[in-house]
Every structure is written in C-alpha cells, then in structure tokens.
Amino acid sequence: MEARKKQAASQSCVGAASEEAPASPPQFDKEQIAASARYNSQRDLVEALLEDGKRYSIGAVDALIEYYKKGKVK
C-alpha cells in the first residue's frame, strides 16, 4: 500500500519536473559530425564508427570514440 502511495507521488512530480528539465542536447547526423572541425583529426574513425541515418549528440560521439580507443587488441 505504501509503495503505491510513493509511486503515485513520484508520478505526479514527474510532470512538473519534466517542464523544468533542460532540453536534450542537439543531435547531428554522421555527415555533419564528420565535416565538423572538432572531429577533423578523427574523421576516418567517425566514418567507421557512426551509422548512416542515425543522429548522435556530441557526448555520444565522444563516448563511442573513447570506447573504441580503449578496446582490447585481438
């Protein structure tokens, strides 16, 4: 019973919090990211890691590149 009250209370707060939440980060497609000055030195890596037609935030691209660079060599 108490769990239901907590769930109902949290759901009522979710609507108010979503109005105050900042907008999501901008999203870019593969071509825009590859053409940017930020990834000029990593253009080949960006072209290989990102999928055509999918949109990415800068943070997501940075995370993908970092994950790839830290990968184990077979």
Side-chain angles (χ1 to χ4, degrees):
M1 183 77 164
E2 189 172 315
R4 287 184 187 176
K5 289 181 183 178
K6 287 181 182 178
Q7 184 180 11
S10 68
Q11 287 177 350
S12 65
C13 292
V14 169
S18 65
E19 293 173 2
E20 298 172 6
S24 63
Q27 303 271 317
F28 305 97
D29 59 22
K30 178 179 172 178
E31 292 77 23
Q32 290 174 310
I33 293 169
S36 70
R38 179 182 181 127
Y39 297 105
N40 188 31
S41 64
Q42 300 172 324
R43 183 167 290 139
D44 291 338
L45 190 55
V46 167
E47 290 283 343
L49 292 176
L50 304 185
E51 297 176 26
D52 289 327
K54 193 170 177 183
R55 298 181 65 82
Y56 300 90
S57 66
I58 297 298
V61 175
D62 289 342
L64 283 169
I65 291 172
E66 189 68 24
Y67 180 78
Y68 176 81
K69 286 183 174 182
K70 289 186 177 184
K72 293 185 179 184
V73 177
K74 293 182 182 180

